[in-house]
Amino acid sequence: MPSVGVQLYSVFFKFLLKHRLQNRIQSAADDSSSDPFGVTTRPEESVAAPNPLFTDGVATKDIHIDPLTSLSVRIFLPESALTPLEPSTSGVYSGKARNLNNLAGSDLLIRRNSLGSSNSLLSHKVESRRNSYGYSTGSSSPEAGSSDVYSGYAPSSSSTGNSRKLPVMLQFHGGGWVSGSNDSVANDSFCRRMAKHCDIIVLAVGYRLAPENRYPAAYEDGFKVLKWLGKQANLAECNKSMGNSRRPGGEVKKSEVNKHIVDAFGASMVEPWLATHADPSRCVLLGVSCGANIADYVSRKAIEAGQNLDPVKVVAQVLMYPFFIGSVPTQSEIKQANSYFYDKPMCILAWKLFLPEEEFSLDHPAANPLVPGRGPPLKFMPPTLTIVAEHDWMRDRAIAYSEELRKVNVDAPVLEYKDAVHEFATLDMLLRTPQAQACAEDIAIWVKKYISLRGHEFSY
């Protein structure tokens, strides 16, 4: 059984969620018009401000990526990305560089498991690369970033070639379609934990919420971010080519060194953190609750897109207690319909707010993963890790979906956590529970099988 504190918090959470859902239903009835711009957070949501400094090992920044909607992302860049690569004389990265990277990873593990002096192990290594508050790595030039213009980490132009490339994780938050945000305090803490544990760049997606924007708005936003990631990679390559352009005499003009592809307002279209440190060919999708439904949809769309997404490649996905439902109840839906935090009647209300009225069905392809004709064959799906909680009525349908994947030889393990509840690894009150910490470590172990480069594999 969950602790007494969790049970009491669940009662308060359900009361608050029911009140918010009823307000959303009333507002949807009063205002039938739909604003395509939408909202990605609610006024009552506790949000964490972005911090472009590595104060706790992860720097963050917010980016609004679509001028026609409120779609945005928060980038979580781990400090391990600043570890420089040392190329050998033959142009291939030497074994010494690999050892340095593995050492940096072990330092991070030590720092993760200790609150004391281990944080100082890397401080002297990054001191020369990160000057106080406003300067970039290895440079104090205004072009690279100065305290007068931008108070945070900005990669220098000289570090782009030999910088360490990290895989990318697209994270979709939960909240029952109508609440939650990518910059909430709980989601910010969870994404920081994932960035440090997995040694990965996390893009937390701020998709549009219902009922202002119903299905398929949130799903389309998820796939739009994946395409934006590919566009950023291609723009970075073009930008690099422009920077390397030479005059007929073989000289490089000083004005051409820092050329950028700009938009109509003269702003650079290339996101510098991603251009310098991201490797989109190792992309992982992670969805929490209803965000898991979005992650699964984005995986299917990526399969359909194929090479059109190059260089982005989805190598794995993690579905954390997915928000699946169906007209035929499972055993867990019958026995635990009134379970902790999200009971079944409230989830049905959330689905009514999310799906268009004329399309509402518990067997809608967005709700039930087991209905036929839902997209590309399951055998093409990426490796899928499913996280479920013992006291979650949605558990059985998530397990059944994982079993269907395994039948077609997809690597699809299921991790079930005892005495855990829905959102046990992501709610702010539960982030420090043993189950939440074990879940984060288990996800990191599994994900690293698919994002580690040859010669950098981790052993466990």
Side-chain angles (χ1 to χ4, degrees), residues 338-408:
N338 193 32
S339 59
Y340 303 96
F341 291 97
Y342 290 89
D343 58 35
K344 189 173 181 179
M346 281 196 297
C347 290
I348 292 177
L349 279 179
W351 279 109
K352 287 182 178 179
L353 287 169
F354 177 64
L355 294 175
E357 294 182 8
E358 63 276 8
E359 296 183 31
F360 176 75
S361 170
L362 295 183
D363 286 328
H364 191 282
N368 190 349
L370 304 177
V371 295
R374 196 166 170 262
L378 292 180
K379 65 180 180 180
F380 298 118
M381 292 294 287
T384 303
L385 173 65
T386 303
I387 305 293
V388 295
E390 180 184 10
H391 301 287
D392 182 9
W393 64 267
M394 305 180 224
R395 178 191 63 186
D396 284 358
R397 201 173 299 273
I399 295 175
Y401 179 52
S402 182
E403 290 174 350
E404 292 298 317
L405 291 173
R406 289 196 296 273
K407 288 180 182 178
V408 292

Side-chain angles (χ1 to χ4, degrees), residues 214-286:
R214 296 175 180 258
Y215 173 87
Y219 284 57
E220 292 175 343
D221 287 350
F223 187 56
K224 189 177 294 182
V225 172
L226 192 68
K227 293 190 291 184
W228 175 82
L229 180 61
K231 179 181 178 181
Q232 283 295 314
N234 291 323
L235 287 175
E237 286 298 319
C238 293
N239 204 55
K240 188 185 302 183
S241 300
M242 292 176 62
N244 293 333
S245 60
R246 292 182 177 272
R247 300 175 64 185
E251 300 178 357
V252 180
K253 293 174 63 178
K254 187 175 181 180
S255 60
E256 292 176 343
V257 172
N258 291 317
K259 273 189 174 181
H260 294 285
I261 300 176
V262 299
D263 58 17
F265 297 96
S268 175
M269 297 177 64
V270 180
E271 163 45 45
W273 288 10
L274 298 181
T276 305
H277 300 293
D279 179 6
S281 65
R282 295 179 288 158
C283 181
V284 178
L285 307 180
L286 184 147

Side-chain angles (χ1 to χ4, degrees), residues 11-68:
V11 174
F12 171 75
F13 182 89
K14 289 168 74 170
F15 173 79
L16 187 62
L17 181 62
K18 183 178 181 180
H19 177 70
R20 290 178 178 177
L21 287 173
Q22 289 174 343
N23 287 342
R24 297 288 169 260
I25 292 174
Q26 184 63 37
S27 62
D30 295 341
D31 185 12
S32 58
S33 62
S34 176
D35 180 11
F37 191 80
V39 297
T40 59
T41 187
R42 301 292 182 190
E44 63 270 14
E45 196 76 51
S46 298
V47 300
N51 183 3
L53 302 174
F54 298 96
T55 50
D56 65 343
V58 178
T60 60
K61 71 160 69 170
D62 292 336
I63 301 177
H64 180 215
I65 66 174
D66 185 5
L68 301 179

Side-chain angles (χ1 to χ4, degrees), residues 98-277:
R98 291 176 181 153
N99 293 336
L100 285 174
N101 290 335
N102 291 335
L103 178 59
S106 64
D107 285 346
L108 290 175
L109 289 175
I110 294 173
R111 185 171 55 192
R112 183 189 72 196
N113 293 325
S114 173
L115 299 179
S117 60
S118 56
N119 274 333
S120 63
L121 292 175
L122 292 178
S123 60
H124 67 282
K125 301 178 185 178
V126 301
E127 187 65 29
S128 62
R129 299 192 303 274
R130 177 166 51 87
N131 295 325
S132 67
Y133 195 72
Y135 291 93
S136 61
T137 58
S139 174
S140 59
S141 64
E143 293 82 6
S146 72
S147 56
D148 295 334
V149 179
Y150 172 63
S151 300
Y153 167 66
S156 63
S157 57
S158 60
S159 67
T160 304
N162 64 342
S163 60
R164 185 180 178 204
K165 296 288 187 178
L166 296 181
V168 180
M169 173 183 286
L170 265 60
Q171 189 265 355
F172 305 95
H173 65 82
W177 305 120
V178 300
S179 62
S181 69
N182 65 329
D183 58 357
S184 67
V185 173
N187 199 69
D188 184 86
S189 299
F190 173 74
C191 290
R192 288 176 180 273
R193 176 178 285 181
M194 285 291 100
K196 288 188 281 189
H197 280 32
C198 298
D199 197 20
I200 198 170
I201 299 174
V202 178
L203 302 184
V205 180
Y207 55 85
R208 289 171 291 172
L209 302 177
E212 291 85 353
N213 295 95
R214 296 175 180 258
Y215 173 87
Y219 284 57
E220 292 175 343
D221 287 350
F223 187 56
K224 189 177 294 182
V225 172
L226 192 68
K227 293 190 291 184
W228 175 82
L229 180 61
K231 179 181 178 181
Q232 283 295 314
N234 291 323
L235 287 175
E237 286 298 319
C238 293
N239 204 55
K240 188 185 302 183
S241 300
M242 292 176 62
N244 293 333
S245 60
R246 292 182 177 272
R247 300 175 64 185
E251 300 178 357
V252 180
K253 293 174 63 178
K254 187 175 181 180
S255 60
E256 292 176 343
V257 172
N258 291 317
K259 273 189 174 181
H260 294 285
I261 300 176
V262 299
D263 58 17
F265 297 96
S268 175
M269 297 177 64
V270 180
E271 163 45 45
W273 288 10
L274 298 181
T276 305
H277 300 293

